[in-house]
Amino acid sequence: MKIEIDLNHLMTPLIREIQKVATFNAKKEIYPKKIRGNTLAALLLNITPNTLKQRVHKGFYQEGYHFIKKSDRVYEWNRDALLED
């Protein structure tokens, strides 16, 4: 009984890490390297487009690394840089 609890305690973080890696790899397969527009980039991160805009405004994402401004309204996002954070 005690051994099962200890094994369960040790395996839970490992399983979570494996799930994160699997999700990361799946998203790399689904989404293109360059993502045009805030809606698709927000979908990749599981947040709303407004949250993404607020993060840009607060400086959480850096222009030139995370995204490139194509115009005043259009951003082209780097998939790999978004998934790193």
Side-chain angles (χ1 to χ4, degrees):
M1 184 82 133
K2 179 130 173 88
I3 294 173
E4 289 177 13
I5 293 170
D6 290 339
L7 245 171
N8 219 0
H9 181 66
L10 292 173
M11 292 302 290
T12 303
L14 181 63
I15 291 170
R16 285 189 185 135
E17 192 62 33
I18 290 170
Q19 287 174 337
K20 286 180 187 177
V21 170
T23 303
F24 176 79
N25 289 334
K27 286 184 177 183
K28 282 185 97 172
E29 293 294 322
I30 294 171
Y31 292 95
K33 182 142 176 80
K34 297 291 181 184
I35 300 171
R36 180 164 270 203
N38 291 343
T39 305
L40 193 59
L43 186 63
L44 170 71
L45 298 170
N46 294 326
I47 59 175
T48 64
N50 283 338
T51 303
L52 187 66
K53 289 177 191 174
Q54 289 174 356
R55 288 181 180 184
V56 168
H57 181 68
K58 290 180 180 179
F60 188 79
Y61 298 119
Q62 298 173 351
E63 186 174 356
Y65 179 68
H66 292 99
F67 66 92
I68 298 169
K69 276 180 113 174
K70 292 293 184 179
S71 69
D72 289 340
R73 292 181 156 190
V74 179
Y75 292 76
E76 186 175 78
W77 294 89
N78 182 346
R79 175 200 65 201
D80 296 334
L82 289 176
L83 289 175
E84 282 178 5
D85 297 332

